[in-house]
Amino acid sequence: MFKIKLKKLFLLFALAFSFTLFAETFAGNRIFSLDLGYLGTGLKNNGYGIGLNYEIAILDFLAVRPGFSHMMLFPSDSDIICTTVGINFDLLFYPFFKGLEGPYVAGRIATEFAMFPNSDTMRNESAIMATPFLGWKFSVREFVFFDISLGYRFLLNKSQFSNKEVANHYGNKFKYGIKIKLNLKKICSSLKKSKPSDSEVVKNATSQ
């Protein structure tokens, strides 16, 4: 009973942040992101998921962001097991030359493969998608970034999916996001500065 309650609590926590929380490290004009949205989707389907993104500024107004995702899903209303692997590439244009901050216009090309290892009737599926979108990043005291985006995803390949739910998942639709990005590098640096050094501790102890 305790394990069931703990699992439900963990699932609730993950779903609450699945579309909003990124943990990031910043190094100059580079941002590495761990996308917890895939983890939330995985836990919702009794499985797991992970997503990684790496944004790199190549000019003052232009950045690229390759990404990778993987999920293992065990839907409770089906005996089917689903494994997905996705690769995406974003091109981001920042018109106000603020680096990786401020309003931006972006485009994404992505492909995702869905495999059903325990099914004889559902074949492996693949989807190629393109998503133009608008977004806006702004920071709060350099520790937290907010990233708001809205776009529309188009399915480019017209292959016939063997399952209606899979087809609906990859169909044309609006995509939106309100993400909170934690600058882990800045937070860690701040904590180190606030922690007294060994020499300071010795000095304080001697003066007492």
PDB file of all heavy atoms in Angstrom, residues 106-118:
ATOM      1  N   ALA A 106      11.400  30.537 -34.353  1.00  0.00           N
ATOM      2  CA  ALA A 106      12.129  29.277 -34.479  1.00  0.00           C
ATOM      3  C   ALA A 106      11.411  28.298 -35.394  1.00  0.00           C
ATOM      4  O   ALA A 106      10.209  28.425 -35.667  1.00  0.00           O
ATOM      5  CB  ALA A 106      12.333  28.649 -33.104  1.00  0.00           C
ATOM      6  N   GLY A 107      12.171  27.349 -35.865  1.00  0.00           N
ATOM      7  CA  GLY A 107      11.621  26.258 -36.654  1.00  0.00           C
ATOM      8  C   GLY A 107      12.246  24.953 -36.206  1.00  0.00           C
ATOM      9  O   GLY A 107      13.424  24.923 -35.823  1.00  0.00           O
ATOM     10  N   ARG A 108      11.478  23.894 -36.242  1.00  0.00           N
ATOM     11  CA  ARG A 108      11.968  22.577 -35.814  1.00  0.00           C
ATOM     12  C   ARG A 108      11.669  21.530 -36.870  1.00  0.00           C
ATOM     13  O   ARG A 108      10.580  21.500 -37.443  1.00  0.00           O
ATOM     14  CB  ARG A 108      11.324  22.172 -34.492  1.00  0.00           C
ATOM     15  CG  ARG A 108      11.527  20.689 -34.120  1.00  0.00           C
ATOM     16  CD  ARG A 108      10.939  20.342 -32.769  1.00  0.00           C
ATOM     17  NE  ARG A 108      11.683  21.004 -31.711  1.00  0.00           N
ATOM     18  CZ  ARG A 108      11.430  20.819 -30.419  1.00  0.00           C
ATOM     19  NH1 ARG A 108      10.453  20.008 -30.039  1.00  0.00           N
ATOM     20  NH2 ARG A 108      12.149  21.450 -29.498  1.00  0.00           N
ATOM     21  N   ILE A 109      12.655  20.681 -37.100  1.00  0.00           N
ATOM     22  CA  ILE A 109      12.446  19.481 -37.891  1.00  0.00           C
ATOM     23  C   ILE A 109      12.757  18.300 -36.968  1.00  0.00           C
ATOM     24  O   ILE A 109      13.773  18.312 -36.268  1.00  0.00           O
ATOM     25  CB  ILE A 109      13.337  19.467 -39.159  1.00  0.00           C
ATOM     26  CG1 ILE A 109      13.018  18.257 -40.029  1.00  0.00           C
ATOM     27  CG2 ILE A 109      14.801  19.514 -38.800  1.00  0.00           C
ATOM     28  CD1 ILE A 109      11.718  18.369 -40.771  1.00  0.00           C
ATOM     29  N   ALA A 110      11.868  17.317 -36.935  1.00  0.00           N
ATOM     30  CA  ALA A 110      12.029  16.222 -35.986  1.00  0.00           C
ATOM     31  C   ALA A 110      11.568  14.912 -36.605  1.00  0.00           C
ATOM     32  O   ALA A 110      10.686  14.883 -37.470  1.00  0.00           O
ATOM     33  CB  ALA A 110      11.235  16.495 -34.708  1.00  0.00           C
ATOM     34  N   THR A 111      12.184  13.855 -36.161  1.00  0.00           N
ATOM     35  CA  THR A 111      11.735  12.522 -36.542  1.00  0.00           C
ATOM     36  C   THR A 111      11.646  11.668 -35.293  1.00  0.00           C
ATOM     37  O   THR A 111      12.459  11.810 -34.369  1.00  0.00           O
ATOM     38  CB  THR A 111      12.694  11.878 -37.566  1.00  0.00           C
ATOM     39  OG1 THR A 111      12.188  10.598 -37.947  1.00  0.00           O
ATOM     40  CG2 THR A 111      14.090  11.707 -36.990  1.00  0.00           C
ATOM     41  N   GLU A 112      10.637  10.814 -35.243  1.00  0.00           N
ATOM     42  CA  GLU A 112      10.456   9.939 -34.083  1.00  0.00           C
ATOM     43  C   GLU A 112      10.075   8.545 -34.558  1.00  0.00           C
ATOM     44  O   GLU A 112       9.247   8.389 -35.461  1.00  0.00           O
ATOM     45  CB  GLU A 112       9.395  10.488 -33.136  1.00  0.00           C
ATOM     46  CG  GLU A 112       9.314   9.724 -31.827  1.00  0.00           C
ATOM     47  CD  GLU A 112       8.552  10.485 -30.750  1.00  0.00           C
ATOM     48  OE1 GLU A 112       8.981  11.597 -30.388  1.00  0.00           O
ATOM     49  OE2 GLU A 112       7.518   9.982 -30.282  1.00  0.00           O
ATOM     50  N   PHE A 113      10.680   7.552 -33.934  1.00  0.00           N
ATOM     51  CA  PHE A 113      10.408   6.157 -34.257  1.00  0.00           C
ATOM     52  C   PHE A 113       9.696   5.509 -33.076  1.00  0.00           C
ATOM     53  O   PHE A 113      10.148   5.629 -31.936  1.00  0.00           O
ATOM     54  CB  PHE A 113      11.711   5.421 -34.552  1.00  0.00           C
ATOM     55  CG  PHE A 113      12.545   6.062 -35.633  1.00  0.00           C
ATOM     56  CD1 PHE A 113      13.537   6.979 -35.307  1.00  0.00           C
ATOM     57  CD2 PHE A 113      12.331   5.760 -36.969  1.00  0.00           C
ATOM     58  CE1 PHE A 113      14.303   7.578 -36.292  1.00  0.00           C
ATOM     59  CE2 PHE A 113      13.089   6.350 -37.964  1.00  0.00           C
ATOM     60  CZ  PHE A 113      14.078   7.262 -37.627  1.00  0.00           C
ATOM     61  N   ALA A 114       8.606   4.833 -33.357  1.00  0.00           N
ATOM     62  CA  ALA A 114       7.848   4.113 -32.324  1.00  0.00           C
ATOM     63  C   ALA A 114       7.894   2.620 -32.656  1.00  0.00           C
ATOM     64  O   ALA A 114       7.536   2.210 -33.764  1.00  0.00           O
ATOM     65  CB  ALA A 114       6.405   4.606 -32.271  1.00  0.00           C
ATOM     66  N   MET A 115       8.331   1.824 -31.677  1.00  0.00           N
ATOM     67  CA  MET A 115       8.471   0.378 -31.865  1.00  0.00           C
ATOM     68  C   MET A 115       7.595  -0.361 -30.865  1.00  0.00           C
ATOM     69  O   MET A 115       7.433   0.082 -29.726  1.00  0.00           O
ATOM     70  CB  MET A 115       9.936  -0.027 -31.709  1.00  0.00           C
ATOM     71  CG  MET A 115      10.839   0.530 -32.809  1.00  0.00           C
ATOM     72  SD  MET A 115      12.517   0.904 -32.244  1.00  0.00           S
ATOM     73  CE  MET A 115      12.268   2.506 -31.475  1.00  0.00           C
ATOM     74  N   PHE A 116       7.026  -1.475 -31.286  1.00  0.00           N
ATOM     75  CA  PHE A 116       6.123  -2.273 -30.459  1.00  0.00           C
ATOM     76  C   PHE A 116       6.671  -3.701 -30.393  1.00  0.00           C
ATOM     77  O   PHE A 116       6.266  -4.574 -31.165  1.00  0.00           O
ATOM     78  CB  PHE A 116       4.713  -2.248 -31.050  1.00  0.00           C
ATOM     79  CG  PHE A 116       4.206  -0.854 -31.308  1.00  0.00           C
ATOM     80  CD1 PHE A 116       4.415  -0.234 -32.540  1.00  0.00           C
ATOM     81  CD2 PHE A 116       3.551  -0.140 -30.323  1.00  0.00           C
ATOM     82  CE1 PHE A 116       3.962   1.056 -32.778  1.00  0.00           C
ATOM     83  CE2 PHE A 116       3.091   1.150 -30.553  1.00  0.00           C
ATOM     84  CZ  PHE A 116       3.300   1.747 -31.784  1.00  0.00           C
ATOM     85  N   PRO A 117       7.603  -3.956 -29.465  1.00  0.00           N
ATOM     86  CA  PRO A 117       8.329  -5.233 -29.464  1.00  0.00           C
ATOM     87  C   PRO A 117       7.479  -6.465 -29.159  1.00  0.00           C
ATOM     88  O   PRO A 117       7.860  -7.575 -29.520  1.00  0.00           O
ATOM     89  CB  PRO A 117       9.398  -5.022 -28.375  1.00  0.00           C
ATOM     90  CG  PRO A 117       8.845  -3.938 -27.512  1.00  0.00           C
ATOM     91  CD  PRO A 117       8.069  -3.043 -28.423  1.00  0.00           C
ATOM     92  N   ASN A 118       6.326  -6.297 -28.496  1.00  0.00           N
ATOM     93  CA  ASN A 118       5.519  -7.472 -28.128  1.00  0.00           C
ATOM     94  C   ASN A 118       4.240  -7.589 -28.952  1.00  0.00           C
ATOM     95  O   ASN A 118       3.303  -8.275 -28.555  1.00  0.00           O
ATOM     96  CB  ASN A 118       5.166  -7.427 -26.643  1.00  0.00           C
ATOM     97  CG  ASN A 118       4.196  -6.302 -26.310  1.00  0.00           C
ATOM     98  OD1 ASN A 118       4.175  -5.279 -26.994  1.00  0.00           O
ATOM     99  ND2 ASN A 118       3.386  -6.490 -25.277  1.00  0.00           N
TER     100      ASN A 118
END
